[in-house]
Amino acid sequence: MLKKGFWLILIIVIAYAVISITTGSPIERVQFRSNVTDYLHKMYTMNWKIDSVDYDFKNDKFIANVISGSGISFLVDEDYYGQMMDNYAASVWRDELKKAVTQKAKEVTGSDAEVIVNVNLMREDSITYHDKVPSYSMVSQKLSSEASIYIKCGFSTTQYLQEMLEIKQWIVKKRYDASLTFKSEKGKIHFAIPAEDLKKIKSVEDFYPYWLQIN
């Protein structure tokens, strides 16, 4: 009987160790979720819910996937020093830019567009804004070097430069400054423009230095 009890305990210990290594400690997962809940209550007045808690095996830490009341998905995790941080502001800006640019690209080209937006945000900026995040246009001058917009759609085979120019001018007018990439659905058209060069492009000819040749 004692022998059976020993083997049962050993199996439980081994199973717990395997689970902890591959998906994180169950006890630490519960504690992390509790810490995230406290953090979100402290940081935000908006409605939110923790959608899931995942384990980052490579960095040996948990990451919470959170959804705001308005449908914005963002992440909460801990930095190197164990301090909670999130990317809510960056997620708000990605959503703002993606919706606006997608609509504009479709309006100009007449085709559906794939738009990918990336905005890197330092933790201190996230703390400053809390849930009262301004429009990206209000902070683009500060963040343009850390932001990118990728647009892939069915550009015209003959008027693609004019279509790109119209979209680029609209982006500058809206103050959505970021590095800008244009690519056609078949990949034959590919231009990449750094954020600091957006205002330099005033005619279709100005795009030529930014053409990426596809072999």
Side-chain angles (χ1 to χ4, degrees), residues 146-215:
E146 302 296 328
S148 62
I149 301 173
Y150 169 93
I151 304 172
K152 181 179 180 180
C153 62
F155 290 103
S156 167
T157 55
T158 57
Q159 299 296 317
Y160 63 91
L161 288 174
Q162 186 59 46
E163 291 173 344
M164 288 163 44
L165 181 62
E166 184 175 345
I167 295 172
K168 192 282 310 180
Q169 289 174 329
W170 174 83
I171 285 175
V172 171
K173 182 179 180 180
K174 294 287 289 185
R175 290 190 295 175
Y176 285 163
D177 299 341
S179 63
L180 185 58
T181 299
F182 291 104
K183 191 173 184 180
S184 64
E185 291 178 339
K186 296 183 179 180
K188 294 182 178 180
I189 301 169
H190 197 177
F191 290 80
I193 310 159
E196 61 269 22
D197 289 356
L198 288 180
K199 294 179 181 178
K200 296 179 182 179
I201 299 175
K202 299 182 179 182
S203 68
V204 294
E205 289 79 13
D206 294 334
F207 276 105
Y208 293 141
Y210 307 100
W211 178 35
L212 301 178
Q213 297 190 32
I214 308 298
N215 295 325

Side-chain angles (χ1 to χ4, degrees), residues 3-197:
K3 189 174 182 181
K4 288 182 178 180
F6 168 78
W7 285 111
L8 178 60
I9 293 173
L10 181 61
I11 291 172
I12 292 174
V13 170
I14 293 174
Y16 182 85
V18 171
I19 291 174
S20 297
I21 292 172
T22 57
T23 64
S25 165
I27 295 175
E28 291 180 7
R29 181 185 293 268
V30 171
Q31 183 60 55
F32 175 76
R33 189 182 186 97
S34 176
N35 292 344
V36 170
T37 299
D38 292 342
Y39 169 82
L40 290 171
H41 278 307
K42 178 181 178 181
M43 292 294 296
Y44 298 108
T45 59
M46 64 184 179
N47 293 324
W48 51 264
K49 69 173 182 177
I50 300 175
D51 188 53
S52 65
V53 173
D54 300 322
Y55 179 64
D56 181 351
F57 178 79
K58 182 178 179 180
N59 296 302
D60 186 27
K61 68 177 183 178
F62 291 104
I63 300 174
N65 298 282
V66 184
I67 302 177
S68 71
S70 60
I72 300 295
S73 297
F74 63 103
L75 304 176
V76 180
D77 63 354
E78 293 179 337
D79 64 15
Y80 180 79
Y81 302 101
Q83 297 296 312
M84 284 289 178
M85 61 181 182
D86 69 81
N87 68 343
Y88 175 68
S91 296
V92 170
W93 290 326
R94 281 197 295 268
D95 185 70
E96 175 190 356
L97 292 176
K98 183 174 182 177
K99 287 180 178 177
V101 174
T102 299
Q103 182 179 343
K104 185 62 180 180
K106 184 174 183 178
E107 175 189 317
V108 172
T109 66
S111 68
D112 291 333
E114 176 188 356
V115 176
I116 300 174
V117 176
N118 186 48
V119 180
N120 293 321
L121 182 67
M122 298 300 290
R123 180 175 180 271
E124 54 266 26
D125 292 317
S126 171
I127 293 176
T128 300
Y129 294 123
H130 294 275
D131 51 355
K132 297 180 181 178
V133 181
S135 168
Y136 179 76
S137 63
M138 302 295 292
V139 296
S140 62
Q141 186 174 3
K142 177 182 179 182
L143 298 176
S144 61
S145 63
E146 302 296 328
S148 62
I149 301 173
Y150 169 93
I151 304 172
K152 181 179 180 180
C153 62
F155 290 103
S156 167
T157 55
T158 57
Q159 299 296 317
Y160 63 91
L161 288 174
Q162 186 59 46
E163 291 173 344
M164 288 163 44
L165 181 62
E166 184 175 345
I167 295 172
K168 192 282 310 180
Q169 289 174 329
W170 174 83
I171 285 175
V172 171
K173 182 179 180 180
K174 294 287 289 185
R175 290 190 295 175
Y176 285 163
D177 299 341
S179 63
L180 185 58
T181 299
F182 291 104
K183 191 173 184 180
S184 64
E185 291 178 339
K186 296 183 179 180
K188 294 182 178 180
I189 301 169
H190 197 177
F191 290 80
I193 310 159
E196 61 269 22
D197 289 356

